[in-house]
């Protein structure tokens, strides 16, 4: 090392600290440390982030003395920044896959334009007019990189993009996003206008027969020197990163193929060009090998392109035998030869060459055509579905719902085809035991699901069935069938005359009842009930299944219907509709309720209103489970119907309590506070406790931003909840004549019971409403006299601080309620730091210190991007930090205690020193010293280890205190940055320990 270099290194090492991360580009610019930074295993910031920072700084407009915005100056600093950006891209070997993934279109456009400029491409000259063969290798490669990126960007822009969920509206961020969007659109417009030129440039590149070179960090350094030194060397064919001709052609062929394929939607002839380029790409990959350093092709995507081209543009010399299965299926679908499709699928069950997803997509296409009125396709849909089902069975997957639906009404033709497919789908001589077992189990299950015994014998007498199932298994199956139908004598071998034996009436009734239980089609249910009532008038068919349940408030009205058929139909339609709603099958529930509404409208206004109420509840559930989850407001019609229900005053209408709950919760969840506070009729507040509670919650939300003395509604809500959580006392006289006090019963003076209140709260999702309820119960919990550790919550100050009669409140029930509410709130939003702090305080109050630390850390993590940003001081207050300190102390993690003492606004040296004196610490002790930034604590550690004779630990403490960024002479912002960096690393280490 020269003396000058040694002086430079000494000067660097003596500096007080590393500059802040936000000034990395300045640091690298001044210190020339870029290469050293990029050689790190995980450089922070990452290379692509450096490119963005360098180019953003270089493109910043300047402001002159008249405050006029000027273009970025072409000075030495900006030229060096652009050069640094190019050097980072060279470090990434100009890999477009990496650059496109991490850089926006405007940034990458700027980077590649700088590459063209530094590679001596004359500005204003069309690339298509330049002869690549006569250009220097690095110049030609720069032109190829730019034009490859141009057509790749055009292709990428044609793909649908999933829109990111918008965050909280911030004007500056929205303006920046809008500017970037407009800039991207302008660049894409220019690229599309030049697309034909870019394709011609890349086609010309395929004719080159020489290796090319791309700039490296070294050649870019040479370019920064005097022109006399640069010329000659950078234009030499031996300088830069060598790209072999085959590697270059492989990448260009693939990108051209993608461009031609994208043009094929408007110009079908382009598919032929795409096919040629993709198959040439496959040949080149075979030549150079898939492990090439400079040629990265997504071979799975390439295979997909090739298969698509095979289907869209089959070779002219291929016969039907040479076509791939994809092409055969595509040709059959276009020509309407659907029977051939079933044959291809059946043959494919032996080879498994067609992906399951492709087969399912063909079935979906056929279903859509059948639903558009082509009834002839119903049979084809069953056959294709049967082929797919057999494929699923052979691969160990479950039978799909579609097959069960299509096989709901089996006939002889369907059974014959199913057996034919099963026979053609398995080679008994070569098939493995698992395949044979899967097929045997499928055939057994089909038999058990059939009700018509003649179809059972068709399967059980088939050669495949007899081959796959042993005698014992066949006998066991026969026994099962005999138990199911005791009147019929089953035998293993088929009886030819059996098909002519009519089933008994009891068998037919049993079959119809079984279908009645399974069906969710209102028309089919009606037909089955008509058939059943035609067979017997003695049965009440609404009792067939014990799973059919309707609310008790409705059963009296429905079972009072005189006509037996109508009574059974109304009862079953409603029971099935309620069941479908419970399992979230809302489409079938709506069909069933609509059919029931149409039926009862003819004879019962009371039941008509009942069905309208149930359909309202169903529509609420449908919205909440569907578009409501993404934040989309409900339609105004639904809100009006909810208001109409709440204001309904029809006498003698049976009402379910849950509908009132759901309606009020719906209004609160969608912030209809104006209606609940100002427009609710007065009679509703007296008659409906949920409306009363909803009105108090809505009014409290509205008054929350106001001054404390104006929050009258909050006090009213407090009194209502206190009354609900109160208990009444009973006096009982014993045998000895003494009177004893028994406290056991929930007070009947409240507007509802505590369990009803909890059930209602668990229907709410609006964060502010949940926060208010939580803070109310937390305050009520803290009011007890024997409380040791208060629980903190947002908006806790709006509630009264005392209760006149403490003995009347059931505080045990309040504590249980707080825990249940926090658990529910976190299930709605597990990233709400306020709720996480409440959960942590609960664990702290119940001496569960490890769990408390978990939630304190989680609260900090969710609001600081896992501690990559500073935790807001209103989250990690001094009280929270002190509780974390106590948790660590009681867990015998004393070094963690000392580190956390630094987080307080005023460092608690007394606690820190006392904890460091402990010798039975359960944490990592000296390995935590790197997280201490307070020099006083580090000096005390040095003294303590010296006093104990712990030389190794003393050296670790000395090393920690000797770090230049902790030098007391450093600027304040440097010391704060050092503290913040250690806070981040310590909290992340704690999170890994307790999460």
């Amino acid at each position: 090392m020269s003396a000058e270099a040694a002086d430079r290194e000494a000067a660097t090492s003596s500096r007080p600290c590393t500059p802040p991360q936000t000034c990395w580009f300045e640091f690298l610019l001044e210190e020339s440390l870029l290469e050293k930074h990029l050689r790190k295993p995980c450089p922070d910031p990452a290379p692509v982030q450096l490119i963005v920072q360098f180019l953003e700084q270089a493109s910043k407009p300047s402001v002159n003395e008249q405050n006029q915005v000027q273009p970025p100056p072409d000075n030495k600093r900006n030229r060096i920044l652009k050069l640094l950006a190019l050097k980072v891209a060279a470090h990434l070997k100009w890999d477009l896959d990496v650059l496109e993934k991490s850089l926006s279109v405007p940034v990458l456009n700027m980077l590649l334009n700088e590459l063209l400029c530094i590679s001596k491409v004359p500005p204003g000259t069309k690339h298509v007019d330049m002869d690549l063969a006569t250009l220097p290798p690095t110049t030609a490669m720069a032109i190829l990189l730019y034009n490859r990126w141009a057509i790749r960007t055009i292709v990428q822009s044609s793909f649908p993009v999933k829109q990111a969920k918008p965050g909280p509206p911030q004007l500056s961020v929205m303006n920046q996003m809008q500017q970037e969007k407009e800039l991207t659109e302008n660049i894409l417009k220019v690229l599309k206008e030049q697309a034909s030129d870019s394709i011609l440039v890349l086609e010309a590149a395929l004719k080159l027969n020489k290796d090319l070179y791309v700039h490296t960090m070294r050649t870019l350094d040479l370019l920064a020197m005097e022109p006399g030194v640069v010329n000659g060397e950078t234009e030499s064919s031996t300088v830069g990163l060598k790209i072999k001709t085959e590697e270059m052609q492989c990448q260009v062929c693939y990108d051209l193929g993608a461009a031609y394929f994208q043009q094929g939607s408007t110009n079908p002839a382009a598919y032929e060009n795409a096919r040629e380029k993709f198959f040439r790409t496959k040949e080149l990959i075979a030549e150079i090998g898939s492990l090439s350093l400079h040629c990265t092709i997504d071979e799975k995507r390439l295979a997909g392109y090739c298969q698509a081209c095979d289907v869209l543009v089959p070779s002219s010399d291929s016969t039907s035998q040479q076509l791939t299965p994809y092409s055969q299926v595509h040709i059959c679908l276009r020509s309407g030869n659907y029977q051939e499709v079933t044959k291809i699928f059946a043959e494919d069950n032996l080879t498994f060459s067609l992906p399951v997803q492709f087969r399912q997509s063909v079935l979906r296409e056929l279903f859509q055509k059948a639903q558009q009125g082509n009834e002839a396709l119903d049979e084809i849909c069953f056959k294709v579905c049967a082929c797919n089902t057999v494929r699923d069975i052979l691969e160990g997957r479950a039978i799909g719902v579609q097959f069960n639906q299509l096989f709901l009404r089996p006939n002889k033709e369907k059974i014959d085809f199913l057996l034919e497919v099963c026979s053609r789908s398995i080679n008994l001589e070569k098939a493995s035991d698992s395949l044979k077992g899967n097929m045997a189990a499928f055939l057994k299950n089909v038999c058990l699901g059939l009700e018509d015994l003649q179809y059972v014998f068709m399967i059980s007498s088939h050669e495949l069935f007899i081959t796959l199932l042993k005698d014992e298994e066949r006998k066991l199956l026969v026994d099962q069938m005999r138990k199911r139908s005791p009147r019929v004598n089953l035998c293993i071998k088929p009886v030819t005359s059996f098909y002519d034996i009519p089933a008994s009436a009891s068998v037919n009734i049993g079959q119809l009842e079984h279908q009645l239980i399974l069906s969710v089609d209102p028309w089919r249910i009606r037909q089955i009930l008509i058939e059943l009532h035609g067979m017997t008038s003695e049965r009440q068919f609404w009792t067939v299944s014990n799973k059919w349940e309707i609310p008790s408030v409705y059963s009296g009205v429905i079972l009072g219907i005189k006509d037996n058929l109508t009574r059974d139909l109304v009862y079953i339609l409603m029971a099935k509709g309620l069941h479908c709603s419970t399992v979230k099958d809302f489409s079938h529930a709506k069909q069933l309720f609509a059919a029931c509404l149409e039926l009862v409208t003819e004879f019962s206004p009371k039941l008509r209103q009942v069905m309208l109420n149930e359909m309202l509840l169903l529509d609420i559930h449908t919205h909440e489970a569907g578009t409501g989850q993404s934040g989309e407001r409900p339609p105004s019609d639904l809100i009006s119907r909810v208001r109409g229900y709440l204001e309904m005053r029809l006498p003698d209408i049976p009402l379910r309590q849950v509908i009132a709950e759901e309606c009020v919760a719906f209004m609160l969840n969608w912030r209809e506070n104006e209606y609940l506070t100002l427009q609710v009729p007065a009679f509703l507040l007296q008659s409906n406790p949920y409306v009363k509670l909803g009105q108090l919650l809505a009014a409290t939300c509205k008054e929350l931003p106001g001054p404390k003395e104006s929050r009258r509604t909050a006090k009213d809500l407090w009194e209502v909840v206190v009354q609900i959580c109160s208990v009444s006392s009973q006096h009982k006289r014993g045998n000895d004549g003494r009177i004893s006090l028994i406290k056991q019963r929930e007070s009947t003076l409240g507007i509802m019971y505590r369990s009803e209140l909890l059930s209602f709260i668990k229907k709410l999702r609006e964060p502010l409403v949940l926060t208010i309820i939580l803070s109310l119960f937390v305050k009520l919990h803290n009011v007890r006299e024997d409380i040791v550790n208060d629980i903190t919550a947002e908006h806790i100050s709006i509630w009264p601080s005392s209760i006149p009669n403490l003995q009347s409140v059931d505080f045990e029930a309040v504590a249980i309620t707080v825990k249940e509410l926090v658990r529910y709130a976190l299930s709605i939003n597990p990233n709400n730091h306020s709720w996480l702090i409440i959960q942590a305080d609960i664990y702290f109050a119940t001496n569960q210190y490890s769990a408390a630390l978990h939630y304190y850390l989680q609260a900090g993590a969710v609001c600081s991007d896992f501690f990559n940003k500073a935790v807001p001081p209103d989250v990690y207050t001094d009280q929270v930090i002190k509780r974390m300190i106590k948790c660590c102390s009681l867990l015998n993690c004393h070094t963690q205690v000392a580190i956390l003492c630094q987080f307080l606004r005023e460092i608690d040296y007394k606690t820190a020193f006392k904890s460091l004196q402990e010798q039975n610490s359960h944490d990592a002790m000296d390995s935590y010293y790197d997280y201490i930034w307070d020099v006083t604590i580090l000096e005390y550690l040095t003294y303590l280890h010296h006093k104990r004779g712990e030389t190794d630990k003393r050296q670790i403490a000395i090393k920690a205190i000797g770090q230049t960024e902790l030098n007391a002479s450093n600027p304040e912002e440097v010391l704060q940055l050092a503290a913040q960096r250690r806070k981040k690393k310590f909290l992340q280490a704690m999170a890994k320990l307790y999460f």
Side-chain angles (χ1 to χ4, degrees):
M1 181 186 294
S2 65
E4 183 180 353
D7 291 343
R8 274 201 310 271
E9 182 171 341
T12 303
S13 62
S14 64
R15 290 180 179 171
C17 68
T18 303
Q21 186 172 351
T22 54
C23 301
W24 256 104
F25 68 92
E26 296 285 352
F27 184 57
L28 297 173
L29 178 64
E30 294 175 5
E31 304 293 337
S32 301
L33 293 178
L34 180 63
E35 293 185 36
K36 182 178 177 183
H37 174 73
L38 293 175
R39 283 197 297 269
K40 293 179 180 178
C42 297
D44 184 17
V48 287
Q49 293 174 331
L50 287 176
I51 293 176
V52 174
Q53 290 186 21
F54 290 146
L55 292 179
E56 281 182 354
Q57 294 299 318
S59 60
K60 272 189 177 178
S62 60
V63 180
N64 60 16
E65 296 178 356
Q66 287 79 28
N67 286 330
Q68 295 175 334
V69 178
Q70 301 292 326
D74 186 18
N75 52 28
K76 180 179 178 182
R77 176 181 179 276
N78 284 350
R79 287 194 295 274
I80 292 177
L81 282 169
K82 293 174 183 178
L83 181 63
L84 288 173
L86 292 170
K87 290 176 73 175
V88 177
H91 169 75
L92 298 173
K93 296 184 173 56
W94 300 99
D95 189 339
L96 286 180
D97 288 333
V98 175
L99 296 173
E100 287 171 339
K101 184 178 180 181
S102 306
L103 298 179
S104 63
V105 170
V107 172
L108 195 45
N109 180 58
M110 192 188 311
L111 179 71
L112 292 175
N113 274 303
E114 289 300 326
L115 176 64
L116 293 173
C117 180
I118 207 166
S119 300
K120 306 294 190 296
V121 177
T125 305
K126 285 189 174 183
H127 297 169
V128 72
D129 297 333
M130 303 177 74
D131 185 3
L132 296 177
T134 61
L135 293 175
T138 52
T139 304
M141 195 63 198
I143 292 174
L144 286 186
L145 274 172
Y146 179 86
N147 287 281
R148 277 185 57 215
W149 168 76
I151 65 170
R152 286 163 66 108
T153 303
I154 294 169
V155 171
Q156 191 65 33
S157 69
S158 67
F159 297 153
V161 179
K162 182 179 180 182
Q163 296 295 330
K165 290 186 178 179
Q170 297 181 9
L171 188 60
S172 60
V173 176
M174 291 173 65
N175 289 338
Q176 183 179 355
M177 290 172 63
Q178 183 62 27
Q179 290 174 5
E180 183 173 336
K181 182 180 178 183
E182 292 174 358
L183 187 55
T184 301
E185 290 174 351
N186 291 336
I187 293 171
L188 277 171
K189 183 179 178 182
V190 174
L191 294 179
K192 288 177 181 177
E193 291 172 354
Q194 300 173 352
S196 57
D197 287 352
S198 295
I199 290 175
L200 289 174
V201 169
L202 296 180
E203 288 284 7
L206 295 177
K207 300 174 184 176
L208 293 176
N209 57 0
K210 65 175 183 178
D211 296 337
L212 297 182
Y213 291 80
V214 68
H215 281 302
T216 62
M217 298 180 76
R218 177 173 174 271
T219 60
L220 291 169
D221 279 332
L222 292 172
L223 286 170
M225 299 169 67
E226 292 78 16
V229 178
V230 175
N231 288 342
E233 182 166 14
T234 56
E235 295 182 1
S236 166
S237 61
T238 61
V239 173
L241 183 64
K242 181 177 179 180
I243 309 295
K244 293 182 179 180
T245 307
E246 295 81 7
E247 292 177 327
M248 178 271 291
Q249 289 182 351
C250 186
Q251 288 277 18
V252 170
C253 276
Y254 180 78
D255 293 337
L256 279 172
Y260 286 137
F261 193 91
Q262 186 246 344
Q263 294 175 357
S265 57
T266 54
N267 178 20
Y271 285 128
E272 294 186 14
N273 293 333
R275 186 181 189 281
E276 177 189 345
K277 293 296 182 286
F278 286 132
F279 281 86
R280 177 58 182 156
T281 304
K282 289 181 72 175
E283 293 172 1
L284 289 167
I285 288 176
E287 290 178 17
I288 63 180
S290 59
L291 298 178
S292 168
L293 294 176
H294 311 304
C295 178
T296 55
I297 302 291
D298 185 348
E299 294 190 35
K300 287 186 179 179
R301 195 174 186 85
L302 174 62
Y305 273 130
C306 290
Q307 289 175 351
C309 289
D310 265 341
V311 171
L312 296 167
V313 192
S315 299
S316 56
D317 59 339
S318 17
T319 63
S320 60
Q321 285 77 19
Q322 294 171 326
L323 290 173
T324 64
Y326 287 97
S327 304
Q328 293 177 33
V329 172
H330 188 72
I331 292 169
C332 292
L333 291 174
R334 282 194 297 182
S335 62
N337 187 3
Y338 301 118
Q339 294 290 350
E340 189 64 25
V341 173
T342 63
K343 292 180 181 178
I344 295 170
F345 277 21
E347 292 169 0
D348 182 68
N349 285 349
L350 282 171
T351 60
F352 294 178
S353 59
L354 290 173
V356 174
Q357 294 81 0
F358 173 76
R359 296 168 64 119
Q360 290 172 345
S361 69
V362 171
L363 179 59
R364 281 196 297 271
E365 182 178 340
L366 292 172
F367 264 126
Q368 289 172 0
K369 291 181 179 178
Q371 289 170 357
Q372 290 168 3
N374 191 345
E375 295 179 358
L377 284 179
D378 289 343
E379 180 186 353
I380 298 297
C381 287
F382 169 77
K383 290 184 175 181
V384 172
C385 185
C387 293
N388 287 351
T389 300
V390 173
R391 167 73 176 271
D392 290 338
I393 292 302
L394 292 173
E395 292 188 314
R397 287 187 293 275
I399 299 174
V401 176
Q402 288 176 328
F403 177 80
N404 288 326
Q405 290 175 340
L406 293 173
F407 205 62
L408 196 60
R409 298 174 186 172
N411 54 39
K412 186 175 183 299
E413 290 73 25
K414 289 183 177 181
I415 300 289
D416 282 335
F417 180 80
L418 184 62
L419 290 171
E420 180 189 352
V421 172
C422 290
S423 300
R424 294 171 60 183
S425 300
I426 187 168
N427 187 335
L428 293 174
E429 295 179 358
K430 299 179 180 179
S432 64
D433 290 339
S434 62
L435 284 180
K436 292 179 182 178
N438 290 344
M439 182 65 77
F442 171 63
L443 292 174
K444 280 175 59 179
N445 288 332
V446 171
C447 285
L448 291 171
L450 290 170
E451 296 173 359
D452 195 326
L453 297 176
Q454 61 174 316
Y455 298 147
V456 175
F457 280 108
M458 286 178 66
I459 296 175
S460 64
S461 62
H462 194 272
E463 181 182 356
L464 180 64
F465 185 91
I466 295 171
T467 305
L468 291 175
L469 271 78
K470 299 176 183 178
D471 290 341
E472 294 79 11
E473 292 177 310
R474 297 205 303 278
K475 288 178 181 178
L476 181 62
L477 177 63
V478 169
D479 289 338
Q480 290 176 328
M481 299 297 293
R482 183 178 289 116
K483 290 177 183 177
R484 197 174 69 176
S485 301
R487 290 185 179 86
V488 182
N489 182 22
L490 296 178
C491 57
I492 297 172
K493 296 182 180 179
V495 180
T496 54
S497 62
F498 177 79
Y499 301 112
D500 300 324
I501 300 174
S504 65
S506 60
V507 172
N508 287 335
I509 290 175
Q511 290 173 348
L512 288 171
E513 288 179 345
H514 184 63
Q515 292 178 27
L516 185 64
I517 291 172
L518 294 179
S519 180
V520 288
D521 179 4
W523 180 87
R524 179 62 183 149
I525 292 170
R526 179 176 175 274
Q527 290 298 111
I528 293 171
L529 282 173
I530 290 172
E531 291 183 45
L532 287 170
H533 278 274
M535 292 179 179
T536 175
S537 59
E538 300 174 358
R539 295 281 303 276
Q540 295 181 335
F541 292 104
W542 60 270
T543 62
V544 164
S545 173
N546 58 5
K547 301 293 184 184
W548 293 340
E549 296 177 354
I550 63 173
S552 56
V553 292
Y554 298 159
S555 59
V557 181
I558 294 174
L559 296 180
I561 298 173
K562 295 180 179 179
D563 181 70
N564 292 341
L565 174 60
T566 305
R567 179 197 61 214
D568 288 344
L569 186 54
V570 171
Y571 189 100
I572 293 171
L573 287 175
M574 177 176 279
K576 283 179 175 285
L578 291 171
H579 173 73
C580 288
S581 178
T582 302
V583 299
K584 300 191 185 316
D585 184 1
F586 299 123
S587 59
H588 280 126
K590 191 155 191 170
Q591 292 174 13
L592 292 160
F593 281 164
C596 192
L597 174 64
E598 183 181 355
L599 177 63
V600 300
T601 300
E602 300 174 359
F603 65 89
S604 174
K606 186 182 296 186
L607 283 176
R608 178 181 179 276
Q609 188 58 52
V610 166
M611 291 313 304
L612 289 174
N613 295 345
E614 290 297 332
M615 292 186 77
L616 170 63
L617 180 60
L618 176 64
D619 288 343
I620 291 174
H621 287 163
T622 304
H623 177 78
E624 298 294 284
T627 55
Q629 288 188 335
S630 60
E632 182 179 331
R633 281 190 62 79
S636 56
D637 169 64
L638 181 56
I639 295 175
S640 299
R641 289 167 59 201
V642 171
R643 291 183 180 184
Y645 175 84
L646 293 174
E647 298 171 11
M648 183 174 61
R649 301 185 70 175
L650 296 175
D652 301 326
I653 299 295
L655 300 175
R656 281 211 294 159
Q657 175 179 297
V658 68
I659 303 181
E661 286 184 62
E662 291 283 0
C663 286
V664 175
F666 176 84
M667 301 296 274
L668 286 170
N669 286 334
W670 294 105
R671 297 176 289 282
E672 291 291 323
N673 296 336
E674 199 71 25
Y675 171 78
L676 289 171
T677 52
L678 301 177
Q679 301 175 27
V680 173
F683 76 89
L684 268 181
L685 299 177
Q686 304 299 324
S687 61
N688 193 324
Y690 296 102
V691 175
K692 174 68 176 176
L693 186 62
Q695 189 241 10
L696 292 173
L697 283 168
T700 304
C701 289
K702 283 185 64 178
E703 294 178 0
L704 197 57
K708 186 175 180 181
E709 56 272 12
S710 70
R711 298 175 190 153
R712 172 64 192 169
T713 315
K715 185 179 179 183
D716 294 341
L717 178 60
W718 168 268
E719 291 173 353
V720 165
V721 174
V722 168
Q723 193 70 54
I724 292 172
C725 294
S726 297
V727 290
S728 59
S729 301
Q730 284 184 333
H731 293 85
K732 182 178 180 182
R733 187 180 297 275
N735 295 330
D736 56 357
R738 295 181 182 179
I739 296 176
S740 59
L741 181 65
I742 305 174
K743 167 191 168 187
Q744 306 339 304
R745 184 176 293 180
E746 281 192 60
S747 173
T748 56
L749 299 177
I751 62 173
M752 64 181 70
Y753 289 112
R754 186 181 63 86
S755 58
E756 295 173 334
L757 173 62
L758 191 58
S759 172
F760 171 72
I761 294 171
K762 288 186 177 180
K763 292 179 172 62
L764 300 174
R765 292 181 294 99
E766 171 61 23
L768 180 57
V769 178
L770 285 173
T771 300
I772 286 174
I773 294 171
L774 266 174
S775 68
L776 189 156
F777 274 96
V778 166
K779 183 67 175 182
L780 188 55
H781 172 273
N782 292 344
V783 165
R784 352 177 8 174
E785 296 174 343
D786 59 341
I787 198 75
V788 176
N789 295 306
D790 281 357
I791 300 174
T792 56
E794 277 188 294
H795 311 306
I796 201 168
S797 60
I798 69 174
W799 311 112
S801 55
S802 62
I803 298 175
N805 187 7
L806 281 174
Q807 290 76 18
S808 66
V809 177
D810 187 351
F811 285 107
E812 290 183 7
V814 170
I816 293 171
T817 304
V818 170
K819 293 177 183 178
E820 288 193 41
L821 290 181
V822 175
R823 193 180 304 116
Y824 168 72
L826 289 176
S827 72
I828 298 295
N829 181 8
N831 294 327
N832 187 304
H833 64 81
S834 171
W835 301 345
L836 289 167
I837 291 289
I838 295 174
Q839 181 67 81
D841 283 348
I842 291 172
Y843 281 124
F844 181 82
T846 54
N847 303 327
Q848 300 178 67
Y849 302 114
S850 180
L853 272 175
H854 170 92
Y855 282 97
Y856 284 133
L857 290 166
Q858 193 173 340
V862 298
C863 60
S864 64
D865 190 19
F866 197 69
F867 306 113
N868 285 304
K869 301 173 185 174
V871 180
D874 60 333
V875 177
Y876 274 3
T877 61
D878 271 4
Q879 179 180 335
V880 170
I881 297 297
K882 287 177 180 178
R883 291 190 170 186
M884 292 173 71
I885 289 171
K886 186 174 180 180
C887 288
C888 291
S889 177
L890 293 169
L891 292 171
N892 286 335
C893 297
H894 301 296
T895 315
Q896 294 173 6
V897 170
I899 296 171
L900 285 170
C901 287
Q902 302 173 109
F903 284 62
L904 297 167
R905 287 183 175 85
E906 294 184 6
I907 299 176
D908 186 354
Y909 289 111
K910 180 180 178 181
T911 303
F913 292 166
K914 184 178 179 181
S915 65
L916 291 174
Q917 291 172 5
E918 298 286 343
Q919 294 189 356
N920 63 336
S921 184
H922 292 171
D923 57 23
M925 298 184 68
D926 48 335
S927 65
Y928 282 129
Y929 291 177
D930 286 339
Y931 303 137
I932 301 175
W933 64 87
D934 185 78
V935 177
T936 304
I937 295 177
L938 286 170
E939 287 175 344
Y940 180 77
L941 271 172
T942 307
Y943 157 75
L944 197 62
H945 290 313
H946 175 73
K947 181 180 177 182
R948 295 175 179 170
E950 298 169 343
T951 307
D952 294 341
K953 292 182 179 180
R954 179 172 176 270
Q955 288 300 320
I956 295 172
I958 290 174
K959 182 180 178 182
I961 204 173
Q963 295 177 86
T964 54
E965 58 187 359
L966 298 182
N967 194 324
S969 61
N970 284 337
E972 183 61 29
E973 58 270 16
V974 173
L975 294 172
Q976 289 180 1
L977 181 65
Q980 188 57 43
R981 187 177 302 160
R982 283 161 174 76
K983 282 183 181 180
K984 164 191 165 182
K985 290 182 178 179
F986 172 69
L987 290 172
Q988 286 176 342
M990 289 277 284
K992 290 177 183 177
L993 186 62
Y994 287 98
F995 282 3

